[in-house]
Amino acid sequence: MKFSKIATFVGLLCFAASAFAQDGTIYPLETPSEPNAILLNTGGVDDQPASETWFRQWGDPMARNITTATLTPFLPEPGTANGAAVIVAPGGGFRWLSMGNEGWEVAEALAKQGIAAFVLKYRLHPTPESLDDFSDWMNRPRPTTPATSSDAAPRPAPMDLTNQLEDAEAAYAMILDRAIEWGVDTDRIGMIGFSAGAGLTMHSTLNSKTMKLAFIGPIYGGMGPVEVPKGAPPMFNVIASDDFLFRGQFGVIDSWFKAGIPVEFHLYQNGGHGFGLGNPNRTSNRWFDAFIHWLDVNQFLTAKAE
C-alpha cells in the first residue's frame, strides 16, 4: 500500500485555495474523504452535541469535534521501507487537529525516508457547534503568562486525556497486529507529536501500560519537569526560543538526563509555535533533517541483527 496520495491531493487543494487567506482567519472547509483512514473503534465522546467539522486557518486544513478516532497509514514506496514506524499525533490544544501541517505532511516526509508513518486522528474535547462561535471562542482574550526561567512556573490543571490515551494505545495495537502487512519491525515503533500531540506523546510515554515505544519526538510541547518511568524511550525534543511554551524551561530535558536515558534537544532561535516541517526563513526549519539523522545514528532505521 502506498501512502495516501488522495489525502495529499485534498491537502494541496486546500493549500492552493487558501493561498490568499494567510491572515489567521478561520474559514469553513468541506470535510475531506480520507479514504485510507482506518477506524480504531475506541468509542465516542461524552457530552459532545456537535459532529466532526473542518475549517481552514493559515492555509491549513484542520478538524474539530472529532468523536471517532482513526489511523491513516502512509507507507513507503515498495522496496524503500527500512522497517521503522512512527505514530504521528497532530496538535491543536485537544480541541482541534492541524491535520495537514502536523499530520499528513509530516507522515509523507517520513514515508519518503523509508519509515512507515501513521497519522492518529484522536478524539477531541467539544468546541462550539457554530463556526462563528468557535472563531469567537478561539479569539477570546486570554491571560498572559509571565516569562520565567523557573521550572516551577505555574501550570494549568491537567486535562483529562483518557480518550486520547485510549486512541494512542489502539493505534499502537493496530500497528502491532498488522506489522507484517505494513512491513513494520515491532521493536522500532516510535511516536512523535506536535504541541498538544507532543503532550499526548509524553502522556502515552509516562502513563501507558501497553505501549512500548522505541523512541519519542515531542515537537514544541510542554517543557516542564516530569517523573520519568523506568525503561522510558530515548527522546528527540524540539522547540523554538520564541515559542510561548518554552518560557526558558528545560525541565523535561533535565528529567530525561537525570534518568540516564538518551535525549537530544534542539532549541532554535526562531520558529514560533506550530511550524510543522517549517516556515519561511526560520532556523527551526532543519529539525526534520536532524530527526532523521538522530534516528539513523541511534540505529532505529536499521534492523537489529538476529
Side-chain angles (χ1 to χ4, degrees):
M1 184 193 301
K2 297 181 179 180
F3 56 77
S4 177
K5 293 182 178 179
I6 296 178
T8 305
F9 179 67
V10 171
L12 290 174
L13 285 179
C14 297
F15 302 150
S18 62
F20 66 92
Q22 296 294 318
D23 57 356
T25 303
I26 293 173
Y27 298 90
L29 179 66
E30 185 175 349
T31 301
S33 60
E34 297 185 277
N36 293 334
I38 305 169
L39 295 176
L40 289 174
N41 298 315
T42 49
V45 175
D46 294 337
D47 302 320
Q48 172 57 279
S51 58
E52 178 182 318
T53 55
W54 289 63
F55 64 97
R56 189 176 70 237
Q57 186 180 35
W58 303 114
D60 293 318
M62 307 194 187
R64 63 191 184 94
N65 292 331
I66 295 171
T67 58
T68 302
T70 65
L71 190 69
T72 301
F74 286 70
L75 303 181
E77 295 287 350
T80 67
N82 55 46
V86 175
I87 299 170
V88 181
F94 299 106
R95 303 287 184 177
W96 70 95
L97 291 185
S98 181
M99 293 296 296
N101 183 45
E102 298 172 348
W104 301 331
E105 292 179 24
V106 174
E108 287 182 347
L110 289 166
K112 288 177 181 178
Q113 298 293 327
I115 301 167
F118 301 87
V119 177
L120 173 61
K121 189 170 80 170
Y122 51 89
R123 289 172 288 172
L124 299 175
H125 294 280
T127 58
E129 183 171 8
S130 160
L131 186 62
D132 288 338
D133 290 343
F134 172 69
S135 181
D136 290 342
W137 177 80
M138 287 274 284
N139 294 321
R140 71 196 186 283
R142 293 176 174 83
T144 57
T145 302
T148 176
S149 60
S150 170
D151 280 344
R155 285 182 287 174
M159 185 177 288
D160 181 6
L161 299 182
T162 301
N163 286 347
Q164 292 75 19
L165 179 58
E166 288 179 357
D167 296 342
E169 290 178 333
Y172 181 84
M174 179 174 288
I175 296 170
L176 289 181
D177 186 57
R178 301 179 65 172
I180 295 176
E181 173 189 350
W182 288 333
V184 169
D185 179 348
T186 57
D187 290 328
R188 291 187 286 139
I189 302 173
M191 183 174 183
I192 66 172
F194 301 79
S195 189
L200 178 55
T201 299
M202 185 59 65
H203 185 74
S204 300
T205 302
L206 301 180
N207 296 283
S208 178
K209 304 300 183 185
T210 62
M211 299 176 72
K212 306 300 180 184
L213 296 168
F215 56 86
I216 57 171
I219 312 300
Y220 46 82
M223 295 297 295
V226 298
E227 185 174 339
V228 182
K230 184 179 180 180
M235 176 172 66
F236 180 92
N237 195 297
V238 170
I239 201 164
S241 65
D242 57 352
D243 189 324
F244 68 90
L245 285 180
F246 174 49
R247 300 182 302 182
Q249 292 183 298
F250 301 91
V252 69
I253 309 302
D254 190 50
S255 297
W256 240 252
F257 178 77
K258 288 179 177 176
I261 300 171
V263 56
E264 178 150 336
F265 176 51
H266 293 257
L267 176 63
Y268 288 99
Q269 173 188 332
N270 54 38
H273 190 73
F275 50 77
L277 289 177
N279 287 325
N281 302 316
R282 299 293 188 271
T283 64
S284 57
N285 289 1
R286 300 294 179 88
W287 77 265
F288 185 79
D289 293 338
F291 177 57
I292 297 300
H293 181 63
W294 180 80
L295 291 174
D296 187 28
V297 168
N298 285 281
Q299 299 184 334
F300 290 120
L301 303 184
T302 306
K304 292 181 174 61
E306 297 293 338

